[in-house]
Amino acid sequence: MPIKILRVMKLVLILLTTTIMQVNATSYAQTVSLNLKNASLKEVIEELRQQTGYHFLYKTQMLNETKQVNLSVSNEPFLEVLEKCFAGQPITYTVVQNTVVLRRKTQADNSPKQAVKVTGIVTDERGQPLPGVSVKVKGTNNGIITDGSGKYSLTVDNASGVLEFTFLGFTKQEVAINGRTEINVVLKEAQTALNEVVVIGYGTVRRSDLTGATASVKGSDIKAQGVSDITRSLQGKMPGVTIESAGGDPGAGTRIMIRGVGTLGNGAPLYIVDGVPTASINNLNQVDIESIDVLKDASAAAIYGSRAANGVVLVTTKAGKNGAPVVQFTANYGKQKIANEVDVLNAQEWANVSNAAHDNAGLPRLDIAKNPEQLGAGTDWQDAIYRTAPVQQYNMLVSGGGEFTKYSVSGGYNDQQGIVDVTGYKRYNMRVKTETTKGRLKFGETVLLSREKFITMPGGWGGQGGNPVGSAAKMIPVFNIYDPTALGGFAGAYGPVVNVANPVAQLNLENINREFTSIITNAYAQVNLLPGLNYKLNLGYTNSFTSNYDYAKRYTVGTLFSHPTNDINLNKDQTVLVLLENTLNYDKHFGKHSIQALAGYAYQSTKYNYTAAGRTDLPDGIDQIDAGAGISTTGGRKTESNLVSQFARLIYSYDNRYLLTASFRHDGSSRFGSAHRYGDYPSIALGWNISNERFFESLKNTFSTLKLRASYGVLGNQEILDYQYSAAIASNINYVIGADQQKWFGAIQTAFASPNIKWESTKTSNIGVDLGFFNDKLNVTADYFIKKTSDLLLNVPIPGSAGAISNPVVNAGDLRNKGIEVGVNFNDHIGKLNYGISGTISAVKNKVIALGTGSQQIFGGQPTHHGASSTLTEAGGSIGSFYLIKDIGIFNSQAEVDAYSKDGKLIQPNAAPGDVKFQDTNNDGQINDNDKVNAGSPFPNFEYGFGLNASIYNFDINMYFQGSQGNKIYNGLRQDLESTNLDFNYSKSMLNAWTPNNHSNIPRAITSDPNFNNRTSSRFLEDGSYLRMKTLQIGYTLNNALAKKIRITSLRVYASADNLFTITNYTGFNPDLGRTLSVLDRGVDFGHVAYPLARTISLGIQLSL
Amino acid sequence: MKNLIIIFCIAAIVCSCKKSTLELQNPNQITTETFWKTETDVQSAFAATYGLLRDVNGGFWGVRGIELGNGRGDDFFIRNDVADLYKLSTFTNTPDNGPANDLWNTSYRAIFRTNQILANIDKVTLDATVKKAYIAEAKFLRGLNYFILAINFGDAPLIITVPATTESYFTAKSPEADIWKQVISDFTAAAADLPASYPSQWIGRATKGAALAYLGKAYVYTKAWANAETALKQVTTMSYQLMPDYGDNFIAAKKNNQESVFEIQLADVGGTDPWAGENANQALGVTTAQEFAPSEVSGWFEVSPTDKLFNEFKKEKTTANDFDPRMYATLIWDYPGATFYRKPFSSFALVFGYHSMFKKYQNYDQANELTGSSGASNYASSNNERALRYADVLLLLAESLTMQGKVQEAYPYVKQIRDRAKLANLPGGYSPDQMMAEIMHQRMIEFARENQRFYDLKRWGKLAQEIANSDKIGKQFFVAGKYDYFPIPQNEINSNPQMKQNSNW
């Protein structure tokens, strides 16, 4: 340990033990503003302490002989102000980390104009020594560079001179020598984007050293919004990161896709929260987030090897900082309302359309439609289930720390009622994070607890309406909601109509909820073995419990739905993950070289178990299994998977100009058979900070940053079910046998095993550029990538004649994604107006190179309850392309029907005037699946987001827009509603159906339609482009003086609107589709089982004590 | 330095993982290596194969099977609630028809399972006779599934081994004639080695009589009349007899009776959910009765008899000048004193304009179709589907004889059918055509709703004529030749490069 530091520490120790200690701090500030007239030094110190959070150590008596201070500075660096305050005082000072230690000047201090040797150590804000810092006497050529330990020693002629400390990436600092012989300096990192610390796997790196493609969002950028999960507020903010809602259900969260669809299976990225892999981040608390960093290319993500092919999302939660406790409280209350209902007929309109449809088909009219004029408007089923629903969130966060331990503790409560009656979501969060340093050792942990409760709606009662949202659109308005005489109290459909359930009855007669408890813990111990060399043991443990509850009351709803007993079904599952990681980290700067090396070993085990139980025939009002009189059902299973890995990484930088990152991971997975168990994932990346080259200096005034990056690497994917490689015997495939007709237990192999499956791997090449203009006021990051996935893991459909009940997982083919993504931000001020503009845009194109047997076609996306598929995935095309029979107008006369023939045979023999004409693409004289054409892609040409934030005086405004362009959506609900084929309610557009006197583009009304006007066809494919105003927020922050008066640090109040408007031609509930899990039906809107998106207006406060 | 060493030691210990970390056994299921050891394993494999015959989606005697087996006939109507069923019953179905495709897939699943039994039976130590019987039983089931494929699809892939490699998942179709050869070969082998009967705990499994009856039926379908006569005559020498009361064949209380040659076993045991799929929650009854029942008794009224069937019954009255007892057992209509589900007929509405509803196989002595026999609130009926009744043997035999010109020999078999129905004796001296007309009439009313009519019309070449000459909804869309069979399922064509659609589709 350097002798000088030892001396300082001794001094500190003495001061601590022998003098009155005054340690105070609030938060740190870089700059201070003072306006002092004849202030005592004590007052000055107090003011500085409050503004900066620095500790001051001194004996009270020391201040007795000091002079009064007159000083007026505005936003000047703290150390400069310090210099000015102590100029000419009989006291000198040393800055050690965040503490300013005062001492009386010695004789030597007071004798200027004498050659002295000044020594010291230059550190960064984290206390790490900085080698290579230029130390120069101002106005002379006398200078030196700090050594490997950040130390310097310089002989100066004039003890009252000024030392200049300059280092790339750090703010230049000038310190008056003031007769001191020891000057230790803490250099502040320059506040440019390039100096941000970026979280990468198993560590952090300065953005200027980064060679991979990443995107990050700071917690402070995620303003409190009237939304319940963090990912939703990230939509459009990170280039190349697609975030889609996973449904409008309260608590449903989002799906994140990084750089397009890299696999045909589970495309979810790997989520790592404070070092621990988790299944989802939807349950995290917004206020807990320090940063979210997304690793997009192979160079960035390769350290996670086997699981990183779909990208990695690293979430870092807030840590405590040195200083007095900071207490933050946020509250938000809002109202949500459905953004867009579907237009359907009222009772009278429906009866008229229905009668026309039956007349046209030559079938008898429905009894309930016989007298349209007496029906009036009937029941508005959508009004009956949608409501204006409140949403509220409360959070509290306390953080702080001292020399040895830092802590951050928070709690949150979130209560969101759904816009669909009955549904709702509640979440409780608690988090503790601490870190303790003791000499060479560092310990820390994060504990994240959350409990969620989802009250969801039934998926359907076996009928064809779908869930209550679908039923509300399809339920005939002639029927009533309530029937007090019926068991359960609800009315319903009767007569020969389609069995659509009363949605209000569905919501009230079946109670479904899910409780999800998640424990995420991480604990680590790190020991400094040698200078720069650290060993870290990281333990992760997550335990999540799901408890599902489904209680169906007894009921009779109309004549089509009966349920004579109260039944209950419960199931519980638990997933336990254990992670153990050993890493050695070596961090060394020497001369112009900087090395960050990492080697590690990791073991990960995931165990899942599931138990289910149910019983029928419970007494009314009782929902416990023991009370049931009927049949019991049970079920259970468990699975386990393990992963063992070794990995290493080297980050090397020369003179901050030339950068190299190389990494390697070797993974073994229990999901594969012994022959293909292991996978190797190498990557390499190079970077060149051109703007740090000498020849670039002349450009620096306008062009402050220019960096080129290039990387290549291989990533893996093992997201398949466990045990796929062994041929299992399925049991409980039972039959009845014997004179007494008992159960006969059955078991046999029902599906084929996949003994030879191996890792899916993705090769990614990336080139990127980072640009900064006007002192980095304007920053642009752009990346171009090619991602080639091979050995795709996929359940490829095999022929039914093979006899298996499911499709085996195989390494099915190759896939390529190419894309470009750009992020821009600009921050400046005009007078008092500070403003920032940011935007992202990304375009990805995917292409299936090879699939299965070569001619393999995978169809997907059945958009309605019964009906044909709408998408095709095959070699040469894009994933899940729409593949549809093409509609080419309406037959306006019998002559047109007759004219549409081939070799004298009608192409559509069942058609009549008013029916849809379909294209006979293959010219075989009939319309069938062979006539399908590629009708467009569910993937947008580009996606974008842009935002503006501005503040003036105490007001701030923040708005964010987000959208996609050029994608298609198949509107499944419209396929149901814009046809009179079946007897349920219809779309308003059916009022304009074709008749001999009204040649519209809506086909004629006909029930049991033999021409299949509503067959799955291009008629229901729509443009899915949209532009949405995602957020508008206006805030007011109390001014400092007022805040001080009421003894708080800060207070901001705001009003916020989410999803204020969406500009789109899409006619369904929401162009940002929910629910779809499979990439093969990504663009299909399953409107009959949707949950529409809400528009939210909310008010909130953010208070710091 | 000492600390350093200790830390490295700890790290080394936690690093050293066992090789078994990555060698995991599936704890939920045994594998093919540990199965096929005991006779119980073989029996379980049979349960899993028989079960598919009543699979709710694709079993020929499950609810969808009954709907598609009857739905295309001139005696049957399906309402437009389930679009795919409506389409096939109105001859507007396409190759992506769900129920038709499920029938294909389910039949092949059963074939895959029978092939597994045949491939693995040698691994189990069994008495030689017992083993032969199991092989015969597996062949019966394979033959039966190919029989179902042949009558519904015609040309189809012929697979008689377990696919050994990924490449062998893909099989081209064989001509219908080759499928029939396999059917006859399998039934012949089954008839040789199956027992004539089982002890009481195994009642319900295939017997020698069942194999012979199906063999005879297969010969009838392939017009091998003499062979049919030989096979069917053997059945008449066994102990089968008509039930004195025709209606007893269709109620749960008289399962596996003397007339039953092969019967699908159904009971509301096992789980509670008929739609649960192949697992412990699956109720082992059938939902057909509930789907066919009128809405007044918690049914979904998915189907109706046409008036053509209603009128066919009225063509000939009994010697007591009453309606045919088979009409009372098959249909419910507005006759004096008619009750249904313990209610007078007047409490029911005939919603489709037809004059009757199906009574056969309905649990009409209950108050409604909601409650299964176990008291659970599901729709599982325990009423067995009589896949092949002795009445069928008699009429097929009569037909085989008639088609060989041996009309006189056919008389006694037809007489048994007519006697039970309390019909007068036929006049003597019928020509073969006259006798065939009588057999066709008898088959139509004897086997209504028993998956026979459409296939009978097809093999008689009378489909186009009889459908045109009916009150069937959608009859105008019938195209002769095309709708005689279901097309090859679109999914099969999509996933099987060797497969081509039939030419008229």
Side-chain angles (χ1 to χ4, degrees), chain B residues 179-361:
Chain B
I179 305 295
W180 282 116
K181 269 185 209 155
Q182 185 63 40
V183 170
I184 286 162
S185 150
D186 276 340
F187 283 145
T188 305
D193 292 325
L194 276 173
S197 66
Y198 286 94
S200 112
Q201 77 267 28
W202 289 117
I203 283 175
R205 288 165 60 184
T207 58
K208 187 186 212 67
L212 283 168
Y214 268 108
L215 178 62
K217 195 162 182 169
Y219 281 132
V220 169
Y221 270 75
T222 51
K223 300 188 169 27
W225 306 111
N227 288 338
E229 180 192 338
T230 311
L232 294 166
K233 271 204 171 137
Q234 287 184 63
V235 185
T236 61
T237 65
M238 302 173 92
S239 55
Y240 300 106
Q241 283 194 330
L242 293 183
M243 289 294 282
D245 183 344
Y246 172 84
D248 281 354
N249 282 310
F250 313 108
I251 59 172
K254 304 276 184 182
K255 295 179 176 193
N256 298 314
N257 59 41
Q258 62 191 27
E259 190 175 336
S260 175
V261 180
F262 186 62
E263 191 160 315
I264 308 302
Q265 308 297 309
L266 294 158
D268 191 13
V269 295
T272 55
D273 181 359
W275 299 280
E278 294 186 315
N279 59 51
N281 281 343
Q282 186 180 38
L284 303 177
V286 68
T287 62
T288 318
Q290 187 268 335
E291 298 213 21
F292 287 13
S295 70
E296 290 84 353
V297 290
S298 304
W300 291 359
F301 55 103
E302 300 287 354
V303 307
S304 170
T306 61
D307 281 354
K308 180 172 181 177
L309 177 66
F310 183 66
N311 294 329
E312 189 78 13
F313 272 115
K314 292 203 279 192
K315 279 185 177 164
E316 187 178 1
K317 291 212 168 171
T318 63
T319 46
N321 197 32
D322 195 359
F323 293 113
D324 190 324
R326 293 176 295 184
M327 186 175 186
Y328 287 113
T330 306
L331 304 179
I332 182 77
W333 72 100
D334 192 9
Y335 58 85
T339 61
F340 199 37
Y341 293 93
R342 306 183 198 160
K343 294 182 182 66
F345 187 81
S346 56
S347 18
F348 296 90
L350 291 161
V351 286
F352 304 113
Y354 294 115
H355 287 88
S356 65
M357 294 183 283
F358 276 115
K359 181 179 174 190
K360 198 188 248 189
Y361 284 112

Side-chain angles (χ1 to χ4, degrees), chain A residues 822-860:
Chain A
V822 179
V824 179
N825 66 69
F826 179 74
N827 291 294
D828 203 356
H829 64 91
I830 305 168
K832 294 265 185 197
L833 174 71
N834 290 302
Y835 66 96
I837 301 168
S838 63
T840 68
I841 184 163
S842 39
V844 188
K845 281 262 176 289
N846 69 63
K847 187 176 180 184
V848 181
I849 307 292
L851 195 60
T853 53
S855 62
Q856 188 86 50
Q857 296 185 310
I858 301 178
F859 291 83

Side-chain angles (χ1 to χ4, degrees), chain A residues 353-369:
Chain A
V353 172
S354 171
N355 288 339
H358 284 81
D359 295 351
N360 284 336
L363 292 169
R365 291 182 175 193
L366 293 173
D367 284 346
I368 50 169

